[in-house]
Amino acid sequence: MPAPRQASPSAVSSASRGRHRAVSPPTPFRRPAVVGTAAVAVAVAGAMALADIEGSDPLGIPDPAALSGTGASAPTPSGQALGTHSSVAADSAQRQAAARSRARDLLASRIAAVEQPAATAVQLTALRRECKFNPTIQRLPASDPLQVENAQTIIDAAQQMGLPVRAEVIALATAWQESNLINMRGGDRDSVGLFQQRPSMGWGSYSQVRNPLYAAQQFYDALVAVPGWQTMPLTVAAQTVQESAFPWAYARWEQLADNLVAQLTADTAPTDLNCTPE
């Protein structure tokens, strides 16, 4: 009788591997998913936003009228539950309508904030062109506290006299050209003060024209006596009062005068700073 065959090492190894593959590994433990209130709120908010876009019910409850097809209410298990759902849906619709209204208002205000300055800039450019404003010759040095104080005095004088903003701009540009807004003790011949007014030419005594408020009032009195001064180019109006040897020079300070008036007065519109062409 033949001896039983011995399994070869390779066969044993192969069988072992086969038995190992046949055994299923233990199922790993999986922690149950925990859904917090924040996640639920996010999900509900997303569903409501999607429902608002699609015009459907955010809670997935069908409209009874749609179920019946006749507009009559379909029977419900609980009238109280339907009433609660209707109240929630109505409140949600009101909140969504209010949010849309706020969004429309915000968009309108932002559009106005962009369009209004652009329209004002176009209008200002047209006014300056008519008033012979030359942007290439403007000088814009910084002002120190003493110069700003003198500028404020000139503006105060115009306001006390009930003059328009354009008068303030003309006066400041004139004072910048004549004295750099410094209350000078002297100048050409007997010229003195912010506007380099000459006592010998009837502007007042030396002490008077060195008083910034008095000097500004004297300048304004002469300015408003010029016919059509409000519609003139700045340098023409200033020269008519000052009779300078450099009649074009006042135009160099118009932008600086605009900036100072806007800085020192709270309710000045950009278009008020320029002449109104006839």
Side-chain angles (χ1 to χ4, degrees):
M1 178 175 175
R5 297 180 58 186
Q6 297 291 329
S8 65
S10 60
V12 172
S13 176
S14 176
S16 299
R17 284 199 299 271
R19 285 195 303 273
H20 180 70
R21 285 196 302 271
V23 177
S24 300
T27 302
F29 172 75
R30 296 182 182 272
R31 183 182 300 274
V34 178
V35 181
T37 56
V40 172
V42 170
V44 170
M48 293 180 66
L50 181 60
D52 182 45
I53 296 172
E54 297 178 347
S56 60
D57 190 322
L59 300 180
I61 302 177
D63 184 3
L67 290 176
S68 65
T70 61
S73 298
T76 58
S78 170
Q80 182 179 2
L82 179 58
T84 302
H85 167 61
S86 299
S87 176
V88 171
D91 184 58
S92 175
Q94 291 176 355
R95 289 198 302 270
Q96 292 170 7
R100 292 192 202 97
S101 178
R102 288 194 298 270
R104 283 193 297 267
D105 292 344
L106 179 60
L107 179 60
S109 64
R110 288 182 176 177
I111 291 174
V114 172
E115 291 181 346
Q116 184 59 40
T120 300
V122 170
Q123 184 180 10
L124 190 56
T125 300
L127 284 174
R128 285 179 166 176
R129 188 181 301 113
E130 293 289 337
C131 298
K132 312 301 182 192
F133 175 80
N134 186 349
T136 64
I137 65 172
Q138 298 304 307
R139 298 186 179 183
L140 302 170
S143 303
D144 63 31
L146 180 59
Q147 290 171 311
V148 173
E149 180 181 348
N150 289 329
Q152 185 67 69
T153 300
I154 293 172
I155 291 172
D156 291 343
Q159 293 178 348
Q160 291 171 11
M161 298 172 70
L163 298 177
V165 173
R166 179 65 174 172
E168 301 169 7
V169 175
I170 296 172
L172 286 181
T174 302
W176 262 105
Q177 172 59 27
E178 297 291 354
S179 66
N180 284 331
L181 275 178
I182 297 172
N183 193 18
M184 298 177 66
R185 295 180 178 275
D188 179 50
R189 288 172 284 189
D190 61 336
S191 299
V192 67
L194 291 174
F195 294 90
Q196 288 292 282
Q197 294 159 336
R198 297 178 61 189
S200 63
M201 300 301 292
W203 288 98
S205 67
Y206 175 88
S207 60
Q208 285 177 324
V209 294
R210 276 217 73 227
N211 182 311
L213 181 60
Y214 175 89
Q217 291 170 340
Q218 290 294 98
F219 176 83
Y220 289 132
D221 283 339
L223 177 65
V224 298
V226 177
W229 67 270
Q230 289 178 269
T231 60
M232 289 180 179
L234 181 146
T235 195
V236 175
Q239 171 62 12
T240 304
V241 174
Q242 297 293 104
E243 298 181 1
S244 169
F246 306 97
W248 52 269
Y250 303 105
R252 299 183 295 187
W253 310 101
E254 185 168 357
Q255 181 67 62
L256 182 61
D258 283 355
N259 294 347
L260 275 173
V261 170
Q263 173 187 340
L264 298 175
T265 55
D267 55 352
T268 299
T271 52
D272 293 338
L273 302 170
N274 293 268
C275 75
T276 304
E278 294 177 334

